Amino acid sequence: MTFFACCAAHSGPIFHMVSYAMACGVAPMAAVSIYSVEGLAGLGGRLLYGVLGDRLGVKPVLITGLAIQAAVIAAYLAVGRLEQFYVLAVIFGATYGGVMPLYAVLAREYFGPRIIGTVFGAATMLSSLGMSFGPLAGGMIYDAYASYSWLFIGSALVGLGAAGIAIANGIRVDQHMQSSIPEILAVGDAASYRHWFTGGDVRLESVQNATDQARLAARTIVGHAEPFAAVPWFWSDIGDMKLQMVGLTQGGDSHVVLGEPAENRFSIYHYAGNRLLGIESVNRPADHMLGRKMLGAGFSPAPHTVAAGPDALKAALAAFSQDEPARASA
Ligand SMILES: Cc1cc2nc3c(=O)[nH]c(=O)nc-3n(C[C@H](O)[C@H](O)[C@H](O)COP(=O)(O)OP(=O)(O)OC[C@H]3O[C@@H](n4cnc5c(N)ncnc54)[C@H](O)[C@@H]3O)c2cc1C
C-alpha cells in the first residue's frame, strides 16, 4: 500500500510538471528542462538513498524519503520562477528516484526467497496502478478547476499517507486480537495494539505475549468476548543470568534497586510517579514472581515498601488482597 500511495503521490506532479511550469509563466523549452533535471537528479538519488538504506536501515530511510517527497510536492505550490523549479526538481527527482529501489530491499527483508517473485510482482502491480492513477487524477482536476493547485495539495496528502502507512508497526488489532477485518486475527510479534496496562500502542516480542494472545485469539474465534488483559512478562536465560521482566517500563521516571548489582543478583523497580510500571530482575526469580502477582492484582506498592524488601512487599500485597479480594484474584 505504501508503494501504491508513493507512486500515486509523485506520478501526477511528474506527469503534469511541464504544463504546471508553463502555467506559472515558464517558457516551454525551459519547462521541459525541469523534467530533465528531475530525471538526472533521480540517478544520483538512487545511489544516495541506496547507500543511506544500507547504512541507516531501509525503513527509516524510506519513511524520511516519503516525508521529503510530500513536502517538496507541497512546496511546488509556492514557486513560480525557473530557478526555483530547478531547486525543487533536484530534491524531488532525487527523492522519488531514490525511494523506488528501496521497496525491493524491504521485500527481501520481509519475505523468503521462495515467494519473493510473487510478492514483488504484486507490489509492482500495485505501484503501477498508483502511477496510472496520479496523471489521470491530475488531468481531471485541471479540467475541472483550470488549475493544478488541488493536484499538488492532493498529491502531497497522498504522499504523507504513504509515509504514515510505512510507519505503521505491525498488524493493528483490538483487545480481542481482531484486525479491522474481524475475521482476520493477529497475535504475537506481528500484532500491534493498545495495551491495557500502559494505554499506549505496543508490539511486544516475547514468547509469553505470543502464547497469551494466541489463547485469547482462539477464545475470540469460538465466540468469547474477553479483552486482552494478561500482565506482560518476559524471561530469558543468558549465560549465568536469568533475565526476567514484568510490566512495561516505558515512561518511568524513577526506580528502586533491590539486591546486589555487583553480584549479578538484583531487581530494578520502575516507577512513573507513585505507580509501579514494571520490574526487571537478574537472578532474582522470587522478585519476578511476586511482581507478577502484584501487577496482576493491580497493586502498586509505594517505593519505600519496595526498598524495605521482599517480606514487606509480601505483607503489603496480602493486606491489599484482603481489602480488594476481587481485584486481587482477577
Ligand atoms: C534471537 C531471539 C531470541 C529471543 N529470545 C527470547 C527470549 O529469551 N524470551 C522471549 O520471551 N522471547 C524471545 N524472543 C522473542 C520470541 O521468540 C518471539 O517474540 C516469539 O517467538 C514470537 O512468536 P510468534 O508466534 O509471534 O512469531 P514466530 O515465532 O516468529 O512465528 C512465526 C512463524 O510464522 C512462519 N511464517 C512467516 N511467514 C510465513 C508465511 N508467509 N507463511 C507461513 N508461515 C510463515 C515463520 O516461519 C515462523 O515459524 C527471541 C527472539 C529472537 C529472534
Side-chain angles (χ1 to χ4, degrees):
M1 283 310 293
T2 303
F3 206 179
F4 169 82
C6 168
C7 290
H10 64 224
S11 58
I14 294 172
F15 192 85
H16 292 278
M17 188 60 69
V18 175
S19 323
Y20 175 60
M22 286 167 61
C24 291
V26 176
M29 271 311 286
V32 171
S33 69
I34 296 168
Y35 188 61
S36 308
V37 171
E38 276 176 18
L40 281 173
L43 297 179
R46 281 170 172 79
L47 192 60
L48 175 69
Y49 278 75
V51 171
L52 288 175
D54 284 345
R55 300 221 165 152
L56 306 174
V58 178
K59 198 161 174 192
V61 171
L62 175 66
I63 292 166
T64 307
L66 291 171
I68 294 172
Q69 175 177 270
V72 179
I73 291 171
Y76 272 111
L77 287 164
V79 301
R81 297 204 315 270
L82 181 61
E83 57 274 23
Q84 295 172 323
F85 271 101
Y86 281 152
V87 170
L88 289 187
V90 170
I91 307 171
F92 186 44
T95 306
Y96 75 68
V99 295
M100 296 298 269
L102 299 181
Y103 294 103
V105 187
L106 259 192
R108 193 207 57 197
E109 279 187 7
Y110 289 164
F111 299 94
R114 280 196 308 173
I115 56 163
I116 194 74
T118 312
V119 168
F120 205 64
T124 46
M125 186 195 80
L126 278 174
S127 78
S128 301
L129 286 174
M131 285 303 285
S132 51
F133 174 77
L136 180 68
M140 289 167 71
I141 288 168
Y142 190 80
D143 287 349
Y145 300 105
S147 157
Y148 279 120
S149 297
W150 284 110
L151 168 66
F152 283 86
I153 293 169
S155 296
L157 290 175
V158 173
L160 270 185
I165 297 167
I167 287 170
N169 182 18
I171 301 164
R172 189 74 191 166
V173 293
D174 65 12
Q175 54 185 346
H176 309 294
M177 303 297 113
Q178 288 170 299
S179 69
S180 55
I181 302 169
E183 292 78 20
I184 297 178
L185 292 86
V187 300
D189 284 9
S192 91
Y193 56 102
R194 178 126 318 163
H195 206 287
W196 65 272
F197 186 70
T198 60
D201 293 340
V202 291
R203 192 178 61 75
L204 292 180
E205 295 187 9
S206 81
V207 169
Q208 171 267 335
N209 179 68
T211 51
D212 281 346
Q213 290 190 332
R215 272 190 214 101
L216 188 90
R219 290 183 67 74
T220 300
I221 290 167
V222 296
H224 295 274
E226 302 137 21
F228 186 60
V231 175
W233 59 268
F234 178 89
W235 181 316
S236 199
D237 289 326
I238 299 178
D240 61 355
M241 288 194 293
K242 187 177 288 303
L243 303 177
Q244 292 165 300
M245 302 170 209
V246 57
L248 294 170
T249 57
Q250 293 94 331
D253 51 27
S254 65
H255 61 267
V256 178
V257 179
L258 273 190
E260 298 300 331
E263 291 172 15
N264 243 357
R265 221 178 348 263
F266 62 99
S267 294
I268 305 174
Y269 293 71
H270 292 268
Y271 279 87
N274 272 331
R275 182 178 175 223
L276 178 64
L277 295 180
I279 306 162
E280 293 164 338
S281 303
V282 177
N283 294 330
R284 297 257 304 190
D287 289 351
H288 174 76
M289 295 312 292
L290 184 59
R292 275 164 57 179
K293 283 188 191 151
M294 292 192 303
L295 292 178
F299 174 53
S300 180
H304 66 81
T305 312
V306 171
D311 289 341
L313 271 178
K314 279 184 205 153
L317 176 61
F320 175 83
S321 303
Q322 269 187 347
D323 290 346
E324 302 205 29
R327 274 180 81 189
S329 63

